[in-house]
Amino acid sequence: MRLVEHFIGSGSAGGGERRGDVYDPSSGRIQAQVVLGTAAVLEQAVAAARAAQPRWAATNPQRRARVLFRFKELIEREMEPLARLIASEHGKVVADAKGDIQRGLEVIEFCCGIPHVLKGEYTEGAGPGIDVYSMRQPIGIGAGITPFNFPAMIPMWMCGPALATGNAFILKPSERDPSVPVRLAELFLEAGLPEGVFQVVHGDKEMVDAILDHPAINAVSFVGSSDIAQYVYSRGVAAGKRVQAMGGAKNHGIVMPDADMDQVVRDLCGGAFGSAGERCMALPVAVPVGEETAERLREALIPAIRALRVGVSTDPDAHYGPVVNAAHKSRVENWIQTAVDEGAELVVDGRGLTLQGHEDGFFVGPTLLDRVTTDMTSYREEIFGPVLQIVRAPDFETALRLPSEHQYGNGVALFTRNGHAAREFAQRVNVGMVGINVPIPVPVAYHSFGGWKRSGFGDHNQHGVEGVRFWTRVKTVTQRWPDGAADLPRGSEDGGPSRLADAFVIPTMN
Ligand code: NAD
C-alpha cells in the first residue's frame, strides 16, 4: 500500500510508528496510509529549517519572488494531476479541486509582488538630524496546521506570505488528505526553494502539540474547527507564539422580498451543497424575510435540489461528490435526525443515498429542512455537510440579528435589489466577510480572509497585507548621524542632549 511520508529537508522521511488511513471517499476504500509523526520528527524538520532560514531571509525579496513565480508555473503545469489527487482523497469533484488549487495560486501570485509590499515606512527629519524608518523582518520559523477541506488552497494561503517574507515554513496538513501538500513541497524544491525552507510533517494531536510547544517555532497559523482553533490559540499564545486560528462557521444567506429568486436558488444550491457542504464559506442557512418570500423560496428550492446530481469525484457531470469519510457521513446524517427530533420539517431527505457500483462510498444526498428555529442545536452548531436549513424571519431587523448573534461569524450573504438595505446590512452585521448578491464571499487574494467570533482567534487575517503582517515583525530604527565622525553628541540642535542631565529624561523631538 502507498505510504505518505514526511518531507524533511530535501525529501521523504519516515518517522513515527503510528499510521493513519487515507480513504478514497468515492469508493469507501483505504487507498494509502500516512505516517503520524512525533516530536522527534518535528525536531528534524526544525533543525533543517534553522539551518536554511537565515540564508533565505538574506536572499533579496525579488529573488524570493522569482522562486514563487516558478512555483506558480509548475503548479499550473501540474493542475490536472494535482486536482485528481485532491479529488481522490477529499472527494470533491475534479472541477472543484481545480478551484481549490487556483484560489491558492492567487495568493502565490500576490506574493510575487512581495518587494513592493515589504517596503517599510520612512520619516525624514523626525527631530533635528533624526530620521526614522521601519522595516518588516521575518519571524523566523513558522508552522501551518491545516484542515482537510482545502488541501491545496489553505497551505498556500499560509506558505505564500510566510516564504515570500523570508521565513522557513513547516506544514502539518490534515491526515485525511495528506498527498497534495507533499507534492507542494516537491514542486517548491523544483522551483528553486532551498532545502529546509518548506517542509511537511504529518500527524495528529501529538504532532500539533509538539509544534505548539516547540520553542524555535515563533508563529503558528491554524485553520480547522473552532474548539481545536481555540485550543491551538490558547496553547500557542501561552508558549509565547504569534497565533492566528480560523475556526468553524454557520453562514446565513438572507433573502429579501425583492431578491432575484432565480439567482438566489442557484446561489443557495451551489453555496449549500457544493463540495458536499464541506466549506467554511458554505451557505447552509437560508433566511427568507417574510412568509411570502419563504413560500416562494421553498417552492423554487425543492425541484432545484431534487435535480442535483451526486456522483463520484471523477464524474464530470456531478454537482458534488462524497463527504470525507464514514464517520463524517454518519455525523451529518445524525444532525439531520437531530433537526427532525427538534421539530424542523424535513422537506428533502438525503440520508441513505447509495450510488450503484459505489455502494461503500460516503455519499449524502442534498437535504432541505424548513421551519428551523434558533433554539435548535442543529441551527446553533456547524453540520459541515450537504444540508440547507430555512430559518424564517418576519422582517429585516430579525434577519440581521440572526447571523449577528450566532456564535460563528465567518461569512454572510444578503440577496436584494435595494442598495440602502445592502449598505445597512454590510455596516451593521456582526460577521467578518459579507457578500451582497454574492453567495460565497471569499475575498480575493490581495484582500484578506478572516471571520469573527468563534470563527477566528487572533488578530490577523489570512493572506493579503494582513498575511504579510502576520509573518513579519516590525523593526523601527531611529537614527542620527552627527556632523563629523569624531563629533559625538554636541547639543540639542543636533538632536543630542545639551547637558548630561538631559540624557536622563525621555527624549522628545520638539
Ligand atoms: P479539524 O479541526 O478536525 O482539523 C484541523 C487540523 O487540526 C488538522 O490538521 C488536524 O490534524 C488537527 N487536529 C485535529 N484534532 C486535533 C486535536 N484534538 N488537537 C490538536 N490538533 C488537532 O478540522 P477539519 O475537520 O480538518 O476541517 C473542517 C473544519 O475546518 C470545519 O469546522 C470548517 O469550518 C473549518 N474550516 C475553517 C476555515 C476558516 O477559514 N475559518 C477554512 C476551512 C475549514
Side-chain angles (χ1 to χ4, degrees):
M1 181 162 297
R2 182 165 65 94
L3 184 64
V4 185
E5 294 192 297
H6 314 292
F7 190 99
I8 294 177
S10 61
S12 300
E17 282 167 13
R18 292 183 305 126
R19 303 269 185 274
D21 293 330
V22 180
Y23 285 86
D24 173 355
S26 296
S27 68
R29 285 192 212 106
I30 297 171
Q31 58 162 315
Q33 289 206 307
V34 57
V35 289
L36 301 175
T38 57
V41 169
L42 180 67
E43 207 55 67
Q44 291 173 38
V46 168
R50 262 201 178 116
Q53 192 268 334
R55 199 155 189 196
W56 177 241
T59 303
N60 77 51
Q62 205 157 4
R63 283 173 190 257
R64 294 201 299 258
R66 281 184 200 136
V67 173
L68 295 178
F69 264 119
R70 281 196 291 274
F71 175 72
K72 172 183 138 56
E73 286 167 1
L74 293 176
I75 296 272
E76 281 163 350
R77 184 193 76 190
E78 299 274 309
M79 181 65 89
E80 190 67 35
L82 284 173
R84 288 191 176 272
L85 193 52
I86 291 177
S88 84
E89 292 187 354
H90 174 286
K92 62 176 78 176
V93 294
V94 173
D96 197 25
K98 286 183 182 164
D100 181 340
I101 299 166
Q102 180 57 33
R103 290 306 297 253
L105 262 194
E106 289 166 13
V107 174
I108 302 294
E109 282 171 356
F110 169 78
C111 293
C112 289
I114 198 68
H116 178 70
V117 184
L118 266 188
K119 285 188 297 192
E121 294 171 332
Y122 188 88
T123 303
E124 183 190 6
I130 293 181
D131 304 320
V132 180
Y133 66 94
S134 64
M135 50 187 148
R136 292 201 160 268
Q137 296 193 322
I139 44 104
I141 302 175
I145 301 165
T146 54
F148 80 85
N149 68 328
F150 282 100
M153 178 184 79
I154 293 178
M156 286 193 262
W157 280 1
M158 299 172 178
C159 75
L163 299 178
T165 53
N167 297 286
F169 181 80
I170 299 173
L171 174 64
K172 203 304 283 173
S174 170
E175 61 277 37
R176 297 186 222 169
D177 44 13
S179 297
V180 162
V182 175
R183 278 300 289 146
L184 298 184
E186 290 165 353
L187 293 173
F188 265 127
L189 215 58
E190 191 179 337
L193 191 73
E195 290 176 22
V197 177
F198 179 98
Q199 303 177 92
V200 181
V201 294
H202 298 291
D204 50 16
K205 180 173 172 24
E206 184 177 347
M207 181 58 86
V208 171
D209 286 348
I211 289 170
L212 295 173
D213 295 344
H214 202 294
I217 295 176
N218 295 328
V220 175
S221 179
F222 173 92
V223 177
S225 52
S226 289
D227 286 348
I228 314 281
Q230 187 167 18
Y231 167 77
V232 164
Y233 181 75
S234 314
R235 187 158 171 165
V237 167
K241 298 180 198 317
R242 182 178 291 185
V243 184
Q244 57 178 185
M246 277 62 194
K250 189 88 173 182
N251 306 321
H252 296 53
I254 316 293
V255 185
M256 296 293 281
D258 66 351
D260 173 344
M261 203 50 90
D262 291 342
Q263 184 210 340
V264 168
V265 168
R266 260 196 320 273
D267 286 352
L268 279 176
C269 283
F273 305 115
S275 202
E278 292 172 324
R279 291 183 183 138
C280 68
M281 288 297 272
L283 207 47
V285 180
V287 184
V289 175
E291 277 304 304
E292 199 252 324
T293 313
E295 288 307 320
R296 278 196 296 132
L297 177 65
R298 174 183 160 133
E299 288 319 304
L301 274 173
I302 294 170
I305 291 174
R306 291 201 195 284
L308 292 178
R309 179 181 166 99
V310 184
V312 293
S313 60
T314 49
D315 176 351
D317 297 323
H319 291 104
Y320 72 87
V323 299
V324 69
N325 59 23
H328 194 53
K329 175 180 155 94
S330 60
R331 195 165 160 259
V332 172
E333 293 191 335
N334 287 341
W335 272 122
I336 296 170
Q337 188 56 45
T338 303
V340 172
D341 295 344
E342 290 175 325
E345 182 191 344
L346 185 57
V347 184
V348 181
D349 187 356
R351 290 173 296 179
L353 175 71
T354 48
L355 293 193
Q356 217 181 357
H358 308 279
E359 285 75 8
D360 295 328
F362 310 132
F363 299 98
V364 181
T367 298
L368 180 65
L369 292 153
D370 194 2
R371 302 187 188 280
V372 172
T373 53
T374 55
D375 53 332
M376 296 180 182
T377 53
S378 60
Y379 168 73
R380 293 204 301 267
E381 301 297 332
E382 180 181 44
I383 296 177
F384 218 56
V387 180
L388 177 60
Q389 296 174 292
I390 298 178
V391 182
R392 298 176 176 225
D395 50 42
F396 175 77
E397 288 298 325
T398 311
L400 173 66
R401 267 204 310 278
L402 288 171
S404 296
E405 291 176 359
H406 202 281
Q407 62 165 330
Y408 296 116
N410 216 36
V412 70
L414 178 77
F415 298 95
T416 185
R417 291 186 167 98
N418 181 328
H420 178 72
R423 188 168 182 277
E424 271 291 288
F425 184 81
Q427 284 191 334
R428 289 170 58 199
V429 72
N430 185 21
V431 169
M433 291 172 281
V434 181
I436 303 295
N437 298 311
V438 171
I440 304 180
V442 177
V444 290
Y446 42 96
H447 283 259
S448 71
F449 184 108
W452 291 4
K453 298 177 281 182
R454 284 185 61 73
S455 296
F457 302 86
D459 301 323
H460 292 89
N461 280 356
Q462 297 279 352
H463 63 72
V465 173
E466 285 269 303
V468 171
R469 291 198 179 118
F470 180 78
W471 293 105
T472 53
R473 295 183 289 196
V474 177
K475 183 179 279 179
T476 307
V477 180
T478 303
Q479 66 175 7
R480 170 161 50 91
W481 292 100
D483 184 9
D487 262 348
L488 286 171
R490 290 178 314 190
S492 58
E493 273 169 32
D494 296 315
S498 55
R499 298 174 300 129
L500 182 60
D502 289 343
F504 291 82
V505 198
I506 186 152
T508 58
M509 295 297 178
N510 39 32

